[in-house]
């Protein structure tokens, strides 16, 4: 059908309709012209769509189009924020499909992060550029988390600088494997780990206002330029290391400890008893996590 053929009849009918002023006839003709042009396009109204319905559709917000989701798996539930409660709701985990990844290994290492989990591997902690100026301007040595135990914090800071500089990047002592639909993935030791030994640096991105379920809280109290307190956390949802896969246990074999280094708070996992080869690495998520999620207690 030629482009000029559709509106011809409606225009003529509007011009000839009795009882209409010239102004109304012109308005009707223009509306009919627009409707006729839209009928020729794939995105226009169907033949049964009225003009009022059509124009209401034009002003309605478009339905967003979502790209095909990539599989992002994680451990059971990630660490809590500074108030003892975790962010987010925690999605169910699914093991990599053999259809999706026919060569998926039974055990995973850092080399598999992006391929199988959609996670960018980080060996050191990063800061979201949008809040970097606030983080850098703040002195963590004035934080209550530091002043409450200066001696211990100073000892950790002096002894563990090598960890926060990426010293565990080539650590081959641990591996990740699927446990069950209830627990998801977990981290297991290949070797004997002594009591008091550093197990991992929990890497991620220091960010503000994230609803991620893979986050330790950041203990500094920092305000933006408008006097609003930032809701900070170390988020490993999309960028981090294997520590994000560590599960909760009521009697964990590791403690999660905040350590100040290079004017930022970092989280490390330290063994609180010997860990045997083949044993799962665990931490406590804290009472706040379970209080905020009564459905998980069952």
């Amino acid at each position: 059908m030629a482009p000029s053929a559709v509106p011809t009849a409606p225009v003529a009918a509007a011009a000839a309709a009795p009882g209409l002023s010239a102004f109304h006839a012109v308005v009707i003709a223009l509306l009919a012209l627009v409707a006729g042009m839209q009928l020729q396009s794939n995105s226009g109204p169907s033949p049964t769509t009225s003009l009022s319905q059509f124009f209401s559709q034009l002003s309605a917000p478009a339905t967003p189009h979502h790209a095909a989701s990539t599989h992002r798996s994680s451990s059971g539930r990630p660490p809590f924020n500074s108030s003892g409660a975790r962010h987010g709701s925690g999605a169910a985990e699914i093991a990599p499909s053999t259809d999706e990844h026919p060569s998926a290994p039974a055990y995973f290492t850092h080399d598999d992060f992006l391929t199988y989990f959609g996670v960018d591997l980080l060996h050191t902690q990063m800061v979201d550029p949008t809040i970097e100026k606030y983080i850098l301007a703040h002195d963590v040595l004035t934080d209550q988390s530091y002043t409450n135990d200066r001696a211990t914090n100073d000892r950790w800071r002096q002894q563990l600088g090598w960890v926060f500089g990426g010293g565990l990047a080539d650590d081959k002592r641990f591996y990740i494997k699927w446990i069950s639909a209830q627990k998801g993935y977990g981290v297991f030791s290949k070797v004997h780990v002594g009591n008091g030994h550093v197990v991992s640096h929990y890497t991620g991105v220091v960010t503000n206002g994230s609803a991620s379920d893979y986050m330790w809280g950041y203990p500094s109290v920092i305000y933006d330029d408008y006097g609003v307190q930032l809701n900070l956390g170390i988020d490993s949802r999309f960028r981090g290391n294997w520590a994000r896969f560590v599960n909760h246990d009521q009697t964990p074999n590791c403690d999660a400890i905040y350590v100040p280094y290079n004017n930022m708070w970092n989280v490390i996992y330290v063994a609180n008893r010997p860990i045997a080869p083949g044993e799962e690495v665990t931490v406590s998520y804290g009472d706040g996590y379970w209080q905020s999620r009564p459905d998980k207690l069952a």
Side-chain angles (χ1 to χ4, degrees), residues 44-244:
S46 68
T48 58
T49 303
S50 69
L51 288 177
S52 60
Q53 291 173 325
F54 172 56
F55 283 107
S56 67
Q57 292 168 4
L58 288 182
S59 61
T63 302
H65 296 279
H66 301 284
S69 60
T70 56
H71 177 69
R72 296 186 184 276
S73 300
S74 65
S75 71
R77 314 291 174 263
F80 49 80
N81 60 27
S82 55
S83 64
R86 281 181 173 75
H87 299 283
S89 57
E93 295 179 318
I94 304 173
S97 166
T98 54
D99 295 331
E100 188 178 351
H101 300 293
S103 59
Y107 304 99
F108 300 90
T109 66
H110 278 160
D111 296 335
D112 303 309
F113 263 43
L114 191 59
T115 301
Y116 298 106
F117 303 112
V119 176
D120 290 324
L121 177 61
L122 288 183
H123 291 303
T124 59
Q125 186 164 285
M126 299 183 66
V127 180
D128 182 339
T130 64
I131 60 169
E132 186 173 23
K133 70 173 184 177
Y134 305 116
I135 300 298
L136 296 181
H138 178 78
D139 184 2
V140 300
L141 301 186
T142 64
D143 290 338
Q144 187 175 358
S145 297
Y146 174 79
T147 58
N148 281 348
D149 194 346
R150 292 177 184 271
T152 300
N153 279 307
D154 285 341
R155 184 172 68 253
W156 283 117
R157 188 159 53 107
Q158 293 165 8
Q159 294 177 352
L160 296 173
W162 64 274
V163 173
F164 306 124
L168 294 174
D170 296 323
D171 190 358
K172 306 296 185 183
R173 296 175 297 166
F174 306 95
Y175 61 92
I176 304 157
K177 76 172 183 179
W178 176 257
I179 301 174
S180 68
Q182 182 179 11
K183 289 193 72 174
Y185 288 90
V187 175
F188 294 80
S189 180
K190 294 180 181 178
V191 300
H192 179 275
V193 178
N195 181 26
H197 287 200
V198 175
V199 170
S200 181
H201 175 206
Y202 187 96
T203 63
V205 180
V206 179
T207 187
N208 176 47
S210 172
S212 169
D213 200 33
Y214 308 101
M215 180 188 303
W216 283 99
Y218 194 85
S220 295
V221 178
I222 301 177
Y223 297 88
D224 65 14
D225 293 335
Y226 302 97
V228 178
Q229 183 176 339
L230 302 180
N231 182 20
L232 300 172
I234 304 170
D235 185 358
S236 67
R237 182 182 180 188
F238 299 123
R239 309 183 80 178
N241 63 3
W242 64 259
R244 71 192 294 284

